Structures are given as C-alpha cells and as structure tokens.
Amino acid sequence: SGIDIRAKQGTAVRAVASGYVAQVKNGGFGIQPSYVMLLHGQDMATVYMHLSSINVAPNTYVARGDIIGRSGGAPGTSGAGRWSTGPHLHFEVRLKGTPVNPTGYLP
C-alpha cells in the first residue's frame, strides 16, 4: 500500500504537500506503529508511518515542507510497531481512500 524509505532513526519527516492533520496515532512501544495522516485537496491523503516522534496534532494545518515528525522503525523503539526490521519511513498516498503508487508525489 506504500513504499518504505530507508532513513536513519530520528530523521526529520516533512509533509510532501500542504493539508490538514486528519489522524495521529502514537503507538508507543506497542504492536501498532505510530503514524500521521494528512488530508489534501482533490480527495488525496498521505500517510507517514513508523514515526519515533510526532510534532503535529489532529485538526491542525501543515504547510508543504513542515516537519511533522521523526523517522523511526528501529526494532524495539517507540513507534516502530511489531513487525519493523530496521529504521525507515513507510509512506503512502491515497486517492479517494485507495492506495496509489507514491513515487510520483515525492519531492
């Protein structure tokens, strides 16, 4: 449903487009990963998963390039989730709720 982008633990994660923060999930040290979902115009949403920290709150606006969190994914760390095998960012783009190839949306 998306792509995994290798990134060192704690790398700044920036919004690829301006939008509103629709969902924020802090998975802590649990089995679910931490993530942020942004809503953009034209029925588009982006999801940023395996975050070690989150810098935004639901129902707030972010501009393109704003730091929304820090990458994570190192096993056993906050936000990694149960199945993560190494530091990275999982990135998704959804159009009308359906995942699409996200590579064309990266800066």
Side-chain angles (χ1 to χ4, degrees):
S1 62
I3 59 172
D4 289 339
I5 302 168
R6 256 193 323 193
K8 291 181 182 179
Q9 189 84 3
T11 300
V13 174
R14 298 178 183 274
V16 298
S18 298
Y20 286 91
V21 180
Q23 294 180 9
V24 172
K25 167 71 174 174
N26 183 344
F29 288 95
I31 62 172
Q32 297 297 318
S34 294
Y35 69 88
V36 169
M37 177 187 280
L38 303 180
L39 296 181
H40 313 281
Q42 302 172 346
D43 295 320
M44 183 178 116
T46 53
V47 180
Y48 309 79
M49 195 173 293
H50 300 293
L51 300 176
S52 61
S53 66
I54 297 171
N55 296 11
V56 294
N59 301 315
T60 58
Y61 179 81
V62 296
R64 180 177 188 230
D66 284 354
I67 296 175
I68 59 171
R70 300 276 173 183
S71 64
T77 62
S78 180
R82 183 178 196 173
W83 306 110
S84 185
T85 59
H88 70 287
L89 172 71
H90 179 82
F91 176 68
E92 296 181 17
V93 174
R94 299 176 184 181
L95 293 178
K96 296 183 180 178
T98 303
V100 297
N101 185 344
T103 55
Y105 296 88
L106 293 171

